Amino acid sequence: CLTEAKEHFYPVETFFIDLTLVASTTLGPALANELARDIPTNVLISGEDVARLKSEYPDTFQALLQSINDGRVCLIGGEVSEKPLSLLPIDQIAKRLQQGQAMYRRHLNVAPMIFGRRGRGFSSVLPGLLTKIDFRGALHMALDGGRMPGGSQGRIQWEGIDGTAIDAYARVPLDAARVETFSSLPQHL
């Protein structure tokens, strides 16, 4: 009902994205609980956390693998580990992305199609590199509390210095675990 009312006065697209952030501290039971829900979700996980999950929490790793194979999980990531990409030359950024994709394929038999990282450190060469490495989209947001340029649109065409663009989400998602999120949802819509 809120969406229909909003469409009458402010006709723009609204996106609801379920994003599960995985860190070294949430690899075990916390991730297993998220994967046990029969709800499609997006899992943002680094390559090194995938490897650690496989070695330290094999049951949770199998649940992740099964969820990906069942189509209930969209894998988001791209790098083995996060380093400040803006400080690296383009060939090193490309190498890091290719190493990341290889690590995901080695452990999960699939590589992420959506690029994402928790922290800042984006580079203006990323859109061109991501499209060449077959990424279909990206999260262009800092999920570590850092600041990034804001805009009025949540979904953007992120354009790099070479003119290549990739679809991206540019707004930090609202935390569904917080009561304030639901009480302020009409204002956000």
Side-chain angles (χ1 to χ4, degrees), residues 100 147 161 164 169 174 183 186:
R147 297 186 62 154
I161 59 172
T164 304
Y169 289 107
L174 302 173
S183 63

Side-chain angles (χ1 to χ4, degrees), residues 34-45:
E34 286 295 317
L35 296 172
R37 300 181 316 151
D38 196 26
I39 299 171
T41 189
N42 301 284
V43 174
L44 175 60
I45 185 169

Side-chain angles (χ1 to χ4, degrees), residues 47-67:
E48 67 184 0
D49 283 338
V50 168
R52 186 171 172 207
L53 180 67
K54 185 176 183 178
S55 67
E56 295 180 20
Y57 302 97
D59 292 341
T60 305
F61 175 80
Q62 287 302 320
L64 175 63
L65 193 57
Q66 186 63 47
S67 296

Side-chain angles (χ1 to χ4, degrees), residues 147-178:
R147 297 186 62 154
M148 295 213 23
S152 60
Q153 298 296 316
R155 185 173 163 210
I156 63 168
Q157 283 284 302
W158 178 18
E159 187 172 327
I161 59 172
D162 64 352
T164 304
I166 190 166
D167 288 329
Y169 289 107
R171 281 223 181 124
V172 176
L174 302 173
D175 186 353
R178 300 180 65 194

Side-chain angles (χ1 to χ4, degrees), residues 51-131:
R52 186 171 172 207
L53 180 67
K54 185 176 183 178
S55 67
E56 295 180 20
Y57 302 97
D59 292 341
T60 305
F61 175 80
Q62 287 302 320
L64 175 63
L65 193 57
Q66 186 63 47
S67 296
I68 291 170
N69 291 336
D70 292 346
R72 288 186 294 116
V73 164
C74 175
L75 192 61
I76 300 175
E79 303 168 79
V80 173
S81 63
E82 290 187 16
K83 302 284 187 217
L85 296 179
S86 57
L87 301 176
L88 298 173
I90 190 169
D91 60 326
Q92 289 297 313
I93 296 172
K95 183 178 178 182
R96 291 184 56 77
L97 290 170
Q98 291 166 344
Q99 289 171 338
Q101 294 292 79
M103 181 174 249
Y104 287 102
R105 283 190 185 97
R106 183 171 51 250
H107 294 294
L108 297 169
N109 301 321
V110 66
M113 292 188 300
I114 308 298
F115 174 80
R117 57 185 293 149
R118 294 177 66 96
R120 299 172 305 240
F122 293 94
S123 171
S124 58
V125 300
L126 270 176
L129 290 175
L130 294 175
T131 55

